[in-house]
Amino acid sequence: MNDYLEHNNLKNLKEDKEIERKIQLILRVGKVLMESGADTNRIVRNMKRVGVFMKIPERRLQIHITFTTIMVNINTGDKSITNFQKCYRHGVDMTAISGVSKLSWRAIEQDYSLNEFEKELRFICLRKRYYKKPLVMISAGLACGGFSLLFGGDFFAFIYTSICAMIGYWTRMKCNLLKFNPYASIAISAFVATICAYFIHFMPTNTPWHPLIACSLFIVPGIPLINAIDDLVDNYITAGMTRAINTLLMIGSMTFGIAFAIKLCVVQDFTSLSISSNSFLVCAVAASVAAIGFATIFNMPPRLLIVVACGAIISVGVRNFLMLEYACSQATASLAGAVIVSLLSLKAVHIVHAPSHVLTIPSVIPLIPGVFMYRLLFSIINLENVDNMNYHHVLNNGVNTTLILLAIAVGVAIPNIFFRNYINKLKEDKLMFLVRTKSKRA
């Protein structure tokens, strides 16, 4: 009797250890995706796919995700095992998102063992970024220089903006290295970039104020905003609201740094000056430069840089065409540009073998309304001097800025809004086909 009980206890212990290991691997997958900037729906989908690879029935696997915590529960029928994983570092790594997605499919197709899966997942976690820090700093500067051209700046403004943005990005890297609070790092880097742009605007150029507008745009939290909209649309309310608050804190920190620099330098409101767009060709080059710059910051695989450059040219081209030829508002035109790129990315994923968000987000970043954001900033700074007649200008700037940012985020989320069930059905059919094929081989 004692031998029988001991045998059962050892068997249960081995089963518990195997379940614990599976839970830890699923949690690690979720952590990598969350800390790399994936939306919650994608995180859950990949974690469940890994569960299928591990032969865990979907009804037995429960997943709960917030912005900072991931919980996984496996119910075996006679016992329930739950574990948690905290997520502290929230950055952007498109290569990791793409790598985990491919690994989850490959593990099923090639019938990986747990050891093989863990080894490849560890490789994804420890793999060095494609781009060295000096190259990322230069790319951030060129991306902001591209924005300067998109806003109508000349070549000298492009150079000055790039230099100021590089200094600001270098400052942010140093702040992160010194373990500063992330919001403090944003405020300090925005302050430094703006101060540099103020002193450099005395240099010879026909568009002296454009560097001041564009030099801090490498900080704009495009991915957190888009992920917040995605999560709210997908009914992940807790995660979506947390991402939205995080986005507001990032924008607030950036605004504080810029506003402090403007007040310190006693910069007068220059946003009423005529700011006209450059030619379609210049805008196309500028959009591609900005998109490639942000793609480098996001650690996108080099083979996809040309793809996002083309996507940026399309999104900005559509926006400018609708605004200039059909007098559409910037919000409407930006929405159209983001929607078209999002829909094209659904087809491109099968050609370049990368998740749609990896292609879409850097492509729509050049649509950011930097001029309207600065007009809103000056309206807020000078609010005490605004009379009743000019309050509608303050309101107009705020509404336009908000609508354009929401239009970009909603445009990226369009496939999820209208085609999510269809896309999920296709992925589920593919998954079931692989599982059945795997069962027949066994």
Side-chain angles (χ1 to χ4, degrees), residues 79-93:
K79 66 181 69 174
S80 180
I81 301 177
T82 304
N83 215 328
F84 297 85
Q85 175 67 63
K86 299 296 291 184
C87 303
Y88 296 104
R89 299 170 53 197
H90 293 277
V92 180
D93 190 340

Side-chain angles (χ1 to χ4, degrees), residues 26-71:
I26 294 173
L27 284 170
R28 200 180 307 171
V29 167
K31 180 182 179 182
V32 172
L33 291 172
M34 176 61 78
E35 294 187 346
S36 298
D39 61 279
T40 304
N41 185 50
R42 180 175 302 279
I43 296 171
V44 172
R45 192 167 62 241
N46 277 266
M47 291 172 73
K48 287 185 175 180
R49 195 181 304 140
V50 172
V52 171
F53 147 69
M54 295 176 177
K55 300 181 177 63
I56 302 172
E58 187 174 350
R59 69 182 186 278
R60 302 291 186 185
L61 177 63
Q62 303 298 324
I63 299 170
H64 177 72
I65 293 181
T66 65
F67 189 57
T68 57
T69 307
I70 301 175
M71 182 182 74

Side-chain angles (χ1 to χ4, degrees), residues 40 54 83 92 119 135 158-159 166 168 189 202 213 233 245 272 282 289 300 308 397 400 410:
T40 304
M54 295 176 177
N83 215 328
V92 180
K119 180 180 178 182
L135 179 58
F158 168 81
I159 297 296
M166 289 178 200
S189 59
F202 296 108
I213 296 175
V233 168
I245 293 171
S272 59
V282 173
V289 169
M300 177 170 285
V308 299
N397 290 330
N400 276 325
V410 170

Side-chain angles (χ1 to χ4, degrees), residues 61-316:
L61 177 63
Q62 303 298 324
I63 299 170
H64 177 72
I65 293 181
T66 65
F67 189 57
T68 57
T69 307
I70 301 175
M71 182 182 74
V72 170
N73 171 268
I74 295 180
N75 187 342
T76 62
D78 58 344
K79 66 181 69 174
S80 180
I81 301 177
T82 304
N83 215 328
F84 297 85
Q85 175 67 63
K86 299 296 291 184
C87 303
Y88 296 104
R89 299 170 53 197
H90 293 277
V92 180
D93 190 340
M94 296 293 189
T95 298
I97 295 174
S98 180
V100 169
S101 179
K102 291 179 180 178
L103 174 60
S104 63
W105 286 111
R106 194 164 60 248
I108 298 172
E109 292 171 350
Q110 300 181 18
D111 198 14
Y112 276 17
S113 66
L114 286 180
N115 288 335
E116 290 173 321
F117 182 87
E118 185 174 16
K119 180 180 178 182
E120 292 210 20
L121 182 60
R122 189 184 302 113
F123 174 75
I124 292 172
C125 296
L126 299 178
R127 178 167 42 192
K128 292 183 179 179
R129 295 177 73 91
Y130 281 113
Y131 313 101
K132 302 293 185 182
K133 288 183 179 180
L135 179 58
V136 176
M137 182 182 70
I138 293 171
S139 298
L142 293 176
C144 293
F147 275 114
S148 177
L149 291 176
L150 285 171
F151 300 153
D154 59 16
F155 178 73
F156 289 106
F158 168 81
I159 297 296
Y160 302 152
T161 304
S162 299
I163 293 171
C164 296
M166 289 178 200
I167 296 172
Y169 193 86
W170 177 85
T171 302
R172 188 177 182 184
M173 288 194 302
K174 289 299 180 182
C175 289
N176 292 336
L177 192 63
L178 294 172
K179 307 296 183 183
F180 282 21
N181 178 279
Y183 303 118
S185 299
I186 290 172
I188 293 169
S189 59
F191 172 81
V192 170
T194 305
I195 287 288
C196 292
Y198 172 75
F199 285 108
I200 211 169
H201 91 277
F202 296 108
M203 302 292 286
T205 172
N206 294 323
T207 52
W209 295 109
H210 287 69
L212 207 61
I213 296 175
C215 66
S216 301
L217 291 181
F218 64 87
I219 305 172
V220 171
I223 288 183
L225 173 62
I226 291 170
N227 283 341
I229 299 295
D230 270 342
D231 286 356
L232 293 173
V233 168
D234 290 328
N235 208 31
Y236 295 105
I237 305 299
T238 303
M241 290 301 296
T242 309
R243 288 185 196 265
I245 293 171
N246 179 58
T247 302
L248 290 175
L249 288 172
M250 294 175 73
I251 293 175
S253 302
M254 175 185 172
T255 303
F256 176 81
I258 295 172
F260 187 54
I262 287 173
K263 279 292 186 180
L264 188 65
C265 297
V266 196
V267 179
Q268 299 299 314
D269 186 353
F270 58 85
T271 56
S272 59
L273 297 175
S274 176
I275 299 177
S276 58
S277 179
N278 279 309
S279 66
F280 277 105
L281 178 59
V282 173
C283 285
V285 173
S288 60
V289 169
I292 290 174
F294 274 94
T296 304
I297 296 172
F298 299 158
N299 194 37
M300 177 170 285
R303 66 183 180 86
L304 298 178
L305 295 181
I306 186 64
V307 179
V308 299
C310 293
I313 292 172
I314 293 171
S315 64
V316 171

